[in-house]
Every structure is written in structure tokens, then in C-alpha cells.
Amino acid sequence: MTDYIRRIVSGNKARFRDGELALELDLVYLTDRVIIMGYPAEGLESFYRNNREDAKKFLEHRHGKNFWVFNFCPLRENSYSASFFDGRVSRYPFPDHHAPPLAIMPLAAREMADWLDGSPERVVVLHCKAGKGRSGTLACTYLLSCEEPPRPPVLQRSHSASQWAKIRANDVMQAIEHEEDAALPLETVTESPAPESSDAPPRSFTESLKGVLDLHTAQRMKPPGGNEKPKQGVSIPSQRRWLHYWALLLAHEAPVHLWAAPPSPASHVVRPKVRLTHITLRMREAGALKLNLVRAATALIDRTSLGKSGSVQARAAGGGHVWVSLARYDDEFVGLLEKWEAHTRDEGSRMGRRRKGSDQMDGQALRDVFDDKGKWDDTKMVRSFARLGTTGDGALTKTVTEEGKLLTYTLHPLTESGWVHIRNELQETEGNADAGALEVDVPASEVNSMDDVTQSAKARGVVLDAGREVRVKIYMGQVFMCWIWLIPTFHMPQPPPPAGATPPSPTKITLTRKECDFPLGVGSAIVDVEIEMDWLRTSDGEGVQPPAWQTSEESAKGGRDEPAGIAATVEAVTTGNISGVIEARQAAKD
């Protein structure tokens, strides 16, 4: 029985043959025990992704029952029953192109390690949709948690026939060279460097992170000809930022209040808070063409079924100019993940290892959290909870530099009074006296009650849980420009100030355009985004994380796409940015 994999010239497709059987799969071995593949699809989708039946045949032929599949796709995106792989499937879903809830990283890494520890023959198979961003992020999450630095695959089963032939040929050539060196006089032989001392300091987390990212890029993103430099495997800045956070946690260099010890009873947990006061956006003045595209896209939206709601949304968020939406994952969902993280955490110092006997909690298994019923991922997983806009004098300034005109937008939280004022203006402009109708008609993807923004006497900002994720999504009018995921505490001076102490000066987090996710179309003019936050004293007594607002079952399930998706798609097409079309459409969904 013959058995080999041959790399197809057109991309990361591997052809597997067994007698008369021929299969094509988008599948690579990162290491001998970690496999990444594209989504196992059926029907029409299987023509441009992996065929589900073929994926199963390949895995069973190569590994028998010694494989376990990790699926990172939400049900609302794509799904299949775990029974297809005989129940050997675990799901840790989060939206495409997004950073995951932080607790998913240790949970997935621990289960991978637990499975692989069962036998040296076992492998894990990771997939999302394309098998790159999400799969790469979680593969690197696991590899970072390994005690030994990961290395490329060395076993024959992990290579195609042509790859294995090249490896064997190289081995033969090296053996010949060693024999030739041995025949030379001793003084002509170059002395090999002395082996590293066993007392050498361990690699830093930054070296480990670079190593696993480079390994993933080298294995997953190999160019067809092998001569070009591969593109980054995990390329989305926020996903790379999450891996940096995880590396800090593994190295015990993360903020001490974050998962530092087994949690106290919920009633005694003190979660530090920060206050986001304002966001400053600097961007080069867009050319007339791009501005006309923005206007055209907005006009197109206004003529669609989403037009009225989109118009209300954009004007309410800063007069149709630049504005920001703040969002986070569903609170109950994250709370459950964090509870499981604490329950499964190793009692020692190994953050990436599962505590023995912790696969059950309150009579439920961890893998049952994400069953086929889709309680958490059959709806929108990311919820909007506050907005910032350009309000008042000085919100927009223009300066002239050597590179041209620079626009600086200063965005502050929109307060209840600001919302009422804008709403009244809309009533006069639209001739609509029904204020309630305007509130309800906000698109489901950005639903938000302006009352949810934390209110204080001076309306000083939005209060956030320092250890929770937040997405900063920036728009111009109704056109999506970019988003940024971050966890505030990793960027704040440590430790948080104790009760009664005076907090340090505000912290300014500056991210360049390259550190933002998908700066498409007019977003390509962004220079940087500066987010200013300060620690909140416990004595301030302000609420934390205003709740996301849902008005109906349709809203909870995601309802309609927000207008920004249409606008960004129009702009991407007009500018010839075809890849931007895909990202723009996805940007509208979550």
C-alpha cells in the first residue's frame, strides 16, 4: 500500500494517495504532533476548502484514532457535528479575525497538552475557517506553553514524499561532508563551537514568542515555489498582542492581580478598574477621491433598508464624522470561561497545564460548554456598550507637516445629555416626533443605550474592568476604518493603586496604523491612535463595564449587518482592494 503527500504548486494543498484513492487537503504539520488544516466542509464549500470526508480519511489513515480536532469556528459562522470525528472534537469558538476571550487560550492549551500526554502517538488537529489566524493563534498558544522549544517536524509521516526525499538527500550530503572533514588534517578542520552551558539563563518570553511565530509562519505560509519570503502566519496585530499577553502570563510577568492565584469567593474578588477618558486619532487628510467614496458609500447606505437606522447611528455618534464604538465579549460567557480557567489551573506554576481531575465542574464537562446547541456562539459574541464622538470646540484640529496636512480628532464618551441633544436635532431634521422609534431603530450590530455609559458629575469617561478585553472600533461616518483589541491592565503601570492612594498620572497607549486591525480604505490614512486611561480608586465608587444593550431576540442573534460593511465594501471595490472586500464584510458582522 503506497502512501504519500505531495505539495501542490498552487498553494498549501497536499495530495494524499492510497491505492486508487486520491485526496486533496489544505493541511500542514507545524510539529510532529500539531497539525493545522482548513475547515472540513461539505457541499459547495468543499470545492474551495477541505472536503470533510477526505479530511477524516486522511487523519484516520495517518493516525488511526490518535487525533483530536480543535474547532475554533462559532456555530453562526460554520458548524458540523462532533460525531463526524467519533466525538473527538473540542470547540473553542470566537469570531473570525478577532482576538479571543483571554481565558480561551489557557483552556485550549491545557486540553491539547492533556490529550497529547496520553500517548506519544497522539496528535492535535487545529482548524478555523482558513486555518491561519485563529488556528495559528491557538497553535502558538499551545507551543508557548510547552516546556521545550518546539521544532519543525522530523518524522517521515509529517512530510510529503518530495519533502522527505529532500531531507534524506540533505542528510546524505551532510554525512559525506563529515567524512571529507574527517579525512582532512586536524589543523584545517574548523572547530565547532562549544556547547552551551547547562547553567545558561533560560530564554526570555520574547524569544519564545518570536520562535513560535516564526515556526508557524515557516510551516503554514510556505510560498509555492519556496523562493519567496513567506507572509506572516499570525498577521492580525490584536491576535499577536494576545499572544504577547499569554507569554507574559506563562513567564509570570503579567499584572499580579490577573490570574495570579486561585480566585477568592466571588463576593471577595476585587477587580481593578480603569477609566477611559478619551481617544485621539491622528490621520493624514484623505484625498478628494477617498472622501467622495466615503460620501458615496454613505449615500448608498441611506438608500438601502439600513439607511435610516445607519443615518441615526452615524449622526448620533459625532455628526457623521469620526466616532468610536467600544465593545467586549458577552459578560456571562467570559465569566463562565474565567471560572473554568481557575478550576483547571495547575496548582503549581505551570499556567499551560491542566490540574488533574479538573475536567468536570458542577457535574459538567468543559467540552459540553460548547455543545451543538450553540448557547454562546449561535448569536453575536461581541457586544457594543459605549460610544465616543467628536463633541465641542477643539475636537478637530488641523496642522501642516512636511508630509502634508494632519487631522487630529479628540473623541470623548457620548453622555446621556449629548444623546438627547442629538436625538432632538434628528427629530427636527427628519420630521419624526417619535423619539422612541429612533432609539429602537439603531442597527442590531451596534445597539447601545446612551444611558449605559458610566455617568459621573463631570462625565469623566467610561469605566472598564482592567482585566477584561475591549474592542475599539473606529468609523468615519458610516465607514469602518479599523479596530483594536486590548486588555487595559497590560498597558497600565503596576500594581494598581491601593484603596485611598492617589492614582498615578493617566496612561497614554499609542498604537500606530500597523498595530491596528484592517485599516482599510480611508483607514489607510491613519497615523496612530492614542487611548488615554487612568487607574480608578476603589473609593471612587463608580460602576464598571456598562452593560451591553439588547432590545429583542433579533438583536441578540446579530440581526442585520451594520451599514459599515456595505460602505467599506464599496470603498474596497472602488480602490481595487479585493482582499479588503472580504475583511470589510467580516468587519460588519461582529
Side-chain angles (χ1 to χ4, degrees):
M1 181 180 294
T2 61
D3 168 18
Y4 70 93
I5 300 177
R6 181 167 58 85
R7 185 71 57 192
I8 298 300
V9 175
S10 60
N12 281 326
K13 285 272 186 176
R15 175 166 291 169
F16 167 73
R17 288 186 177 179
D18 180 4
E20 298 299 320
L21 185 64
L23 308 175
E24 287 190 3
L25 292 171
D26 176 11
L27 178 150
V28 296
Y29 287 77
L30 290 190
T31 70
D32 285 314
R33 309 192 71 188
V34 179
I35 300 171
I36 286 185
M37 69 177 183
Y39 183 80
E42 62 180 358
L44 181 61
E45 189 180 5
S46 66
F47 284 96
Y48 57 93
R49 300 199 188 279
N50 284 334
N51 180 282
R52 191 173 301 164
E53 292 284 351
D54 291 352
K56 182 177 182 181
K57 290 175 183 177
F58 170 80
L59 292 171
E60 289 185 342
H61 180 92
R62 276 287 162 124
H63 302 285
K65 303 299 182 182
N66 288 316
F67 69 89
W68 197 282
V69 178
F70 287 80
N71 175 7
F72 306 119
C73 293
L75 286 183
R76 69 189 300 261
E77 177 185 316
N78 229 333
S79 66
Y80 59 86
S81 173
S83 62
F84 182 82
F85 291 107
D86 302 323
R88 295 192 304 278
V89 178
S90 293
R91 298 180 56 246
Y92 291 94
F94 60 101
D96 200 5
H97 303 110
H98 285 57
L102 188 62
I104 272 184
M105 301 177 82
L107 292 176
R110 291 167 190 169
E111 185 174 354
M112 291 180 205
D114 198 50
W115 165 254
L116 294 175
D117 285 346
S119 168
E121 298 300 316
R122 289 182 174 182
V123 297
V124 291
V125 185
L126 284 59
H127 79 78
C128 47
K129 186 179 287 184
K132 292 177 182 174
R134 286 173 291 183
S135 297
T137 299
L138 272 298
C140 291
T141 297
Y142 165 71
L143 294 177
L144 279 168
S145 68
C146 294
E147 296 180 0
E148 296 293 331
R151 61 177 182 172
V154 296
L155 298 178
Q156 181 175 358
R157 73 181 187 187
S158 307
H159 295 279
S160 67
S162 60
Q163 287 174 333
W164 187 247
K166 289 179 181 178
I167 291 172
R168 298 298 297 164
N170 288 335
D171 289 343
V172 171
M173 291 302 297
Q174 289 180 7
I176 293 174
E177 290 173 359
H178 288 319
E179 289 181 4
E180 292 175 347
D181 288 342
L184 293 174
L186 291 176
E187 60 270 15
T188 65
V189 178
T190 303
E191 185 178 355
S192 300
E196 295 184 6
S197 169
S198 59
D199 296 330
R203 295 190 309 162
S204 69
F205 78 87
T206 51
E207 292 174 330
S208 300
L209 178 56
K210 183 179 184 303
V212 298
L213 287 171
D214 288 348
L215 174 63
H216 175 261
T217 294
Q219 294 299 114
R220 182 62 176 133
M221 307 301 291
K222 287 180 181 178
N227 297 322
E228 303 174 12
K229 182 179 180 180
K231 298 179 180 179
Q232 279 186 334
V234 181
S235 60
I236 298 174
S238 290
Q239 292 179 345
R240 295 173 73 90
R241 191 174 301 119
W242 250 239
L243 286 169
H244 177 80
Y245 296 158
W246 173 238
L248 286 170
L249 281 162
L250 288 169
H252 305 288
E253 296 180 24
V256 294
H257 70 86
L258 188 70
W259 302 352
S264 304
S267 58
H268 298 96
V269 172
V270 177
R271 300 179 69 110
K273 304 165 190 168
V274 296
R275 177 170 37 225
L276 191 158
T277 55
H278 64 275
I279 294 175
T280 302
L281 170 68
R282 294 196 311 149
M283 58 187 301
R284 296 182 180 87
E285 187 173 50
L289 175 60
K290 284 189 175 180
L291 289 178
N292 286 335
L293 286 171
V294 172
R295 296 188 186 100
T298 301
L300 173 63
I301 294 167
D302 286 339
R303 288 196 294 270
T304 68
S305 61
L306 296 175
K308 180 181 176 182
S309 59
S311 178
V312 170
Q313 175 195 17
R315 295 180 193 178
H321 298 299
V322 173
W323 60 284
V324 167
S325 165
L326 299 183
R328 65 182 184 273
Y329 282 100
D330 180 90
D331 294 335
E332 188 179 356
F333 170 59
V334 172
L336 181 60
L337 291 176
E338 291 182 348
K339 185 177 179 181
W340 270 104
E341 186 284 317
H343 177 72
T344 60
R345 190 188 310 160
D346 183 68
E347 295 174 346
S349 59
R350 300 181 301 172
M351 181 63 70
R353 309 297 291 188
R354 178 187 284 183
R355 180 173 60 84
K356 291 183 178 180
S358 63
D359 57 335
Q360 296 273 338
M361 183 172 65
D362 300 330
Q364 183 185 37
L366 175 57
R367 64 176 60 106
D368 294 337
V369 172
F370 300 109
D371 57 22
D372 295 340
K373 296 178 182 178
K375 177 180 179 181
W376 303 112
D377 58 318
D378 196 25
T379 64
K380 287 188 67 65
M381 302 181 74
V382 181
R383 309 286 186 187
S384 170
F385 64 90
R387 296 196 188 108
L388 293 84
T390 52
T391 58
D393 297 333
L396 171 62
T397 59
K398 299 182 181 181
T399 55
V400 179
T401 67
E402 294 181 356
E403 299 180 356
K405 292 182 180 179
L406 194 67
L407 305 179
T408 301
Y409 295 88
T410 304
L411 303 106
H412 290 89
L414 295 175
T415 63
E416 180 182 4
S417 59
W419 169 245
V420 170
H421 175 73
I422 293 172
R423 186 180 64 189
N424 291 340
E425 285 187 347
L426 285 170
Q427 287 178 321
E428 295 174 4
T429 303
E430 303 290 341
N432 187 342
D434 185 359
L438 289 175
E439 290 188 26
V440 173
D441 202 26
V442 175
S445 58
E446 286 293 340
V447 292
N448 175 62
S449 166
M450 304 318 294
D451 296 331
D452 289 339
V453 178
T454 299
Q455 300 298 315
S456 64
K458 298 181 180 179
R460 291 174 292 175
V462 181
V463 175
L464 307 171
D465 182 333
R468 279 288 305 276
E469 76 293 333
V470 61
R471 186 187 69 185
V472 178
K473 194 173 183 181
I474 305 175
Y475 297 84
M476 176 175 284
Q478 298 184 61
V479 177
F480 160 77
M481 288 201 290
C482 74
W483 70 51
I484 299 163
W485 281 94
L486 59 87
I487 297 176
T489 190
F490 285 97
H491 304 270
M492 302 293 291
Q494 300 293 330
T502 301
S505 301
T507 297
K508 295 181 179 180
I509 304 167
T510 302
L511 301 170
T512 65
R513 181 179 64 84
K514 291 183 178 180
E515 296 173 297
C516 301
D517 302 346
F518 313 116
L520 302 171
V522 70
S524 62
I526 292 174
V527 175
D528 56 41
V529 179
E530 182 183 271
I531 304 170
E532 182 165 310
M533 293 184 286
D534 55 17
W535 282 113
L536 196 69
R537 295 176 300 185
T538 55
S539 57
D540 286 349
E542 297 191 51
V544 62
Q545 296 276 92
W549 185 48
Q550 300 179 31
T551 57
S552 65
E553 183 178 354
E554 179 187 10
S555 297
K557 290 189 175 182
R560 300 159 290 177
D561 285 350
E562 64 192 35
I566 300 174
T569 301
V570 170
E571 186 168 6
V573 170
T574 309
T575 56
N577 182 6
I578 302 302
S579 62
V581 175
I582 301 172
E583 310 299 357
R585 291 179 63 85
Q586 182 60 40
K589 294 181 180 179
D590 293 289

